[in-house]
Amino acid sequence: MKKLINGADSVVSDALTGLAAAHPELRVDVAKRIVTRAGGPRRGKVGLVSGGGSGHEPLHAGFVGHGMLDAACPGEIFTSPVPDQLIEATNAVNGGAGVLHIVKNYTGDVLNFEMAAELCAEDGVEVATVLVNDDVAVQDSLFTAGRRGTGATLFVEKIAGALAEGGAPLDEVASVGNEVNARSRSFGVALSACTTPTAGKPTFELGEGEIELGIGIHGEPGRVRAPMAPAREIVRVAMDAIHEDLPLSGDTLVLVNGMGGTPLIELYVVFAEVAAYLGERGARISRSLVGDYVTSLDMQGFSVTVCRLSEELTRLWDAPVQTPALRWGR
Amino acid sequence: MKKLINGADSVVSDALTGLAAAHPELRVDVAKRIVTRAGGPRRGKVGLVSGGGSGHEPLHAGFVGHGMLDAACPGEIFTSPVPDQLIEATNAVNGGAGVLHIVKNYTGDVLNFEMAAELCAEDGVEVATVLVNDDVAVQDSLFTAGRRGTGATLFVEKIAGALAEGGAPLDEVASVGNEVNARSRSFGVALSACTTPTAGKPTFELGEGEIELGIGIHGEPGRVRAPMAPAREIVRVAMDAIHEDLPLSGDTLVLVNGMGGTPLIELYVVFAEVAAYLGERGARISRSLVGDYVTSLDMQGFSVTVCRLSEELTRLWDAPVQTPALRWGR
């Protein structure tokens, strides 16, 4: 294993130290592992908190800022943040209008966010939760009851964040988050396994000419192993799985996401195939992202996420956002 | 070799097809391999053209747009664009105020840009050139006489682009480009080799516990092979090389760039060490970028580029930019 780290134990802290140095517009508490906007909570605005295991960068800390999250809580690599972190973050961003928790559907995350929400509620903070479960690859998996949450998480964070920035109340912000999740589907493919710093070796074995279809973002098993194939065929498998679950038509928001070890040139090749697939079915790519957004350390591969847009969701997607990983419109 | 492609011959075309689908604000001529802004040239504005081998994405096509480039010409993987491409792009962006060529210092690129500039000049188009040669690792190398051009290229493109957008004449736009290059230094480190689609195997061999210090963006040899070490020590070697060549003080613009196969969490670990190094020397990180900007296909590793800022260069860096890979301020 060769990694640009100082030691397996300090990766998360060292990376947060770097995040703080690069982004003075964020307040990064390295010891407590809480990233918030430097300005503090805005009175009367719903606060948005997300979090999850590290190793999926820029998720979630890269999405803290105007128009998106108010706080992110990174856990250890591939490990949920703890309730204390989540409680402190929730209190830190509470501007009196309640706080929305955005949670990817992994058992540890769900339990810890639930516990934090209960304890915050006992202290009089109103908390609502959006559970993201967009990954159509498998029903139940390692770490998950039901579907896993992946790329749609950032759609939820962006769109709910825009509504919250505009002053909407907690129930509406939660409602639009749930709507985005319901309209979104994802599917991931691995060309290689990822290597965690503590394990020091790949989390699973893939043969020289083999890929894993339906992979999870921690390397959890997907649907099936298959021989390596042209991008066009691989994309077809992924898009068929999505289209069977949620027929694709009309305006869509498409994310072609790199898993961390995939060059951008390959992601654009994949995007071309996704565009062709949607075009054949009369669906239109109205908005899109291509790049590393929800990663799995150094894994080679990609995921594709499609959200069926409405006019209102498009408007909220287009609203100004100022975060390390997404910036536009201001 | 496992890559998300349809075939080694179609990688560049397929990726450009994807770029076109993702970015309707660009005009992508897939056959001729020319990427321009959809709006066409602006009368009286200096046009900026860059280009180079593919495999370094988002460089250069990802930097076409308001406030940065007017056109990019991608060559085959790790191969210079041809003069015809460059001539056509130069004519396409000529708004009557002349055109600036931004060229990374590799022999093929230099020759082809020179030939294009001469032929354009014969046709009455005023062309100036900025040659980027910021890489302090080696003097002369495979493909290069003198120093190689790497990360500073995007600084030149951004800052010269901002000046051109504001209506400055060609000599001033070229002059600021040369100034940015003169104030910038880079150094790269490889943890692994890259694999080109046509070769199908790594361009060189690195041992299990070995890294290459001073690597070029095509895998050209660097200064020395060394045993794998903690990020802190690797960064010190890179920064010492830069600091010895251009003493670092005052306000700096810092790019910590991923080579294509390096996860963002590691780049932030590297950034923390760069920040510590500069802090010890009394230099200040005034602006920064962390991510994949000048890549080498799937290579694992990073490069660091430092530019000593002036007030004017900072103002131009901060000016609005709207491209696929850099967006802010509008």
Side-chain angles (χ1 to χ4, degrees):
Chain A
M1 175 189 71
K2 286 185 278 190
K3 287 186 182 295
L4 294 164
I5 60 177
N6 291 310
D9 290 346
S10 67
V11 178
V12 175
S13 298
D14 289 350
L16 287 175
T17 302
L19 186 76
H23 297 289
E25 72 277 17
L26 300 180
R27 181 179 295 154
V28 181
D29 189 325
V30 176
K32 291 181 175 167
R33 301 195 172 171
I34 297 172
V35 179
T36 53
R37 305 186 196 181
R42 203 178 85 210
R43 195 75 212 151
K45 180 184 119 41
V46 169
L48 269 71
V49 175
S50 193
S54 293
H56 307 302
E57 290 68 27
L59 195 72
H60 299 271
F63 301 124
V64 174
H66 179 87
M68 214 161 164
L69 295 179
D70 292 275
C73 298
E76 272 301 321
I77 301 280
F78 291 176
T79 304
S80 170
V82 296
D84 278 357
Q85 252 176 301
L86 301 168
I87 291 166
E88 187 147 344
T90 302
N91 289 325
V93 307
N94 180 22
V99 175
L100 182 70
H101 286 177
I102 298 171
V103 187
K104 300 195 298 303
N105 189 31
Y106 299 97
T107 306
D109 295 66
V110 171
L111 285 174
N112 289 345
F113 268 101
E114 268 179 6
M115 188 179 300
E118 278 171 26
L119 291 168
C120 287
E122 283 175 17
D123 283 346
V125 181
E126 200 185 356
V127 177
T129 298
V130 172
L131 190 68
V132 183
N133 62 348
D134 53 311
D135 184 349
V136 300
V138 292
Q139 184 69 25
D140 300 339
S141 175
L142 234 52
F143 318 130
T144 317
R147 287 177 167 181
R148 302 176 295 217
T150 61
T153 313
L154 85 94
F155 294 175
V156 171
E157 291 175 358
K158 170 67 185 79
I159 289 173
L163 196 65
E165 210 69 55
L170 181 60
D171 60 338
E172 288 181 24
V173 176
S175 172
V176 83
N178 283 320
E179 184 188 355
V180 170
N181 179 57
R183 287 168 168 269
S184 300
R185 297 292 188 276
S186 295
F187 192 94
V189 176
L191 273 55
S192 75
C194 54
T195 299
T196 63
T198 43
K201 60 186 174 60
T203 51
F204 59 94
E205 291 296 327
L206 262 182
E208 183 61 30
E210 203 178 36
I211 61 177
E212 173 110 13
L213 298 164
I215 196 77
I217 57 173
H218 314 90
E220 312 96 293
R223 288 186 175 183
V224 66
R225 298 265 169 112
M228 186 61 201
R232 187 164 298 131
E233 291 173 29
I234 298 173
V235 166
R236 192 159 296 270
V237 172
M239 293 300 291
D240 277 348
I242 290 172
H243 187 58
E244 276 162 25
D245 201 81
L246 182 75
L248 298 169
S249 65
D251 286 338
T252 62
L253 161 62
V254 173
L255 164 65
V256 167
N257 171 60
M259 289 297 199
T262 303
L264 191 55
I265 192 169
E266 294 181 36
L267 297 181
Y268 274 110
V269 171
V270 167
F271 192 86
E273 298 304 333
V274 171
Y277 184 100
L278 289 170
E280 286 164 18
R281 276 147 195 87
R284 201 174 81 88
I285 298 182
S286 168
R287 299 290 185 274
S288 65
L289 290 175
V290 183
D292 286 2
Y293 291 97
V294 182
T295 58
S296 183
L297 290 170
D298 55 347
M299 183 185 282
Q300 292 181 300
F302 75 99
S303 62
V304 54
T305 304
V306 185
C307 175
R308 291 185 55 172
L309 287 170
S310 65
E311 270 184 42
E312 173 68 356
L313 295 187
T314 305
R315 186 186 69 75
L316 292 167
W317 179 258
D318 288 345
V321 61
Q322 291 294 322
T323 70
L326 281 191
R327 292 211 275 191
W328 60 68
R330 218 168 57 149
Chain B
M1 176 189 69
K2 287 185 277 189
K3 288 187 183 293
L4 294 163
I5 60 177
N6 291 311
D9 290 345
S10 67
V11 178
V12 176
S13 298
D14 289 351
L16 287 174
T17 303
L19 186 75
H23 296 289
E25 72 277 16
L26 300 179
R27 180 179 296 152
V28 181
D29 189 325
V30 176
K32 292 183 174 167
R33 300 195 174 172
I34 297 172
V35 179
T36 54
R37 306 185 195 181
R42 204 178 85 210
R43 194 76 212 149
K45 182 185 115 45
V46 169
L48 270 70
V49 175
S50 194
S54 293
H56 306 302
E57 290 68 27
L59 195 74
H60 298 270
F63 301 124
V64 174
H66 179 86
M68 215 161 163
L69 296 178
D70 293 276
C73 299
E76 272 300 321
I77 301 280
F78 292 175
T79 304
S80 170
V82 296
D84 278 357
Q85 250 176 301
L86 300 168
I87 292 165
E88 185 146 347
T90 302
N91 288 326
V93 306
N94 179 23
V99 175
L100 182 70
H101 286 178
I102 298 171
V103 187
K104 300 196 298 303
N105 188 32
Y106 299 96
T107 306
D109 295 66
V110 171
L111 286 174
N112 289 346
F113 269 101
E114 269 178 7
M115 188 178 301
E118 278 170 26
L119 292 168
C120 288
E122 284 174 16
D123 283 346
V125 181
E126 200 185 356
V127 176
T129 298
V130 173
L131 190 68
V132 183
N133 62 349
D134 54 311
D135 184 349
V136 300
V138 292
Q139 184 68 27
D140 300 340
S141 174
L142 234 54
F143 317 130
T144 319
R147 287 177 166 179
R148 301 175 296 216
T150 59
T153 313
L154 86 94
F155 293 175
V156 171
E157 291 175 358
K158 170 68 184 79
I159 289 173
L163 196 65
E165 210 69 56
L170 181 58
D171 60 338
E172 288 181 22
V173 175
S175 173
V176 83
N178 284 320
E179 183 188 356
V180 170
N181 180 57
R183 287 168 168 269
S184 300
R185 298 292 187 278
S186 295
F187 192 94
V189 176
L191 273 55
S192 75
C194 55
T195 299
T196 63
T198 42
K201 60 184 174 60
T203 51
F204 59 96
E205 290 297 328
L206 262 181
E208 183 62 30
E210 204 177 32
I211 60 176
E212 173 112 10
L213 297 164
I215 196 77
I217 57 173
H218 314 90
E220 313 95 294
R223 289 187 175 184
V224 65
R225 298 264 169 112
M228 186 62 201
R232 187 164 299 132
E233 293 174 26
I234 298 173
V235 167
R236 192 158 296 268
V237 172
M239 294 300 291
D240 278 347
I242 290 172
H243 187 56
E244 276 161 26
D245 201 80
L246 182 75
L248 299 169
S249 64
D251 285 338
T252 62
L253 162 62
V254 173
L255 164 65
V256 166
N257 170 60
M259 289 296 199
T262 303
L264 191 55
I265 192 169
E266 295 181 35
L267 298 180
Y268 273 111
V269 171
V270 167
F271 192 87
E273 299 304 332
V274 170
Y277 184 99
L278 289 170
E280 286 165 18
R281 276 147 194 87
R284 202 173 81 86
I285 298 180
S286 166
R287 300 291 185 274
S288 65
L289 290 175
V290 183
D292 286 2
Y293 291 97
V294 182
T295 57
S296 182
L297 290 170
D298 55 348
M299 184 185 283
Q300 290 180 303
F302 75 100
S303 62
V304 54
T305 303
V306 185
C307 175
R308 291 185 55 173
L309 286 170
S310 64
E311 271 185 40
E312 174 67 359
L313 296 187
T314 306
R315 186 185 69 76
L316 292 167
W317 179 258
D318 288 344
V321 61
Q322 291 295 322
T323 71
L326 281 192
R327 292 211 276 190
W328 60 69
R330 218 168 59 148

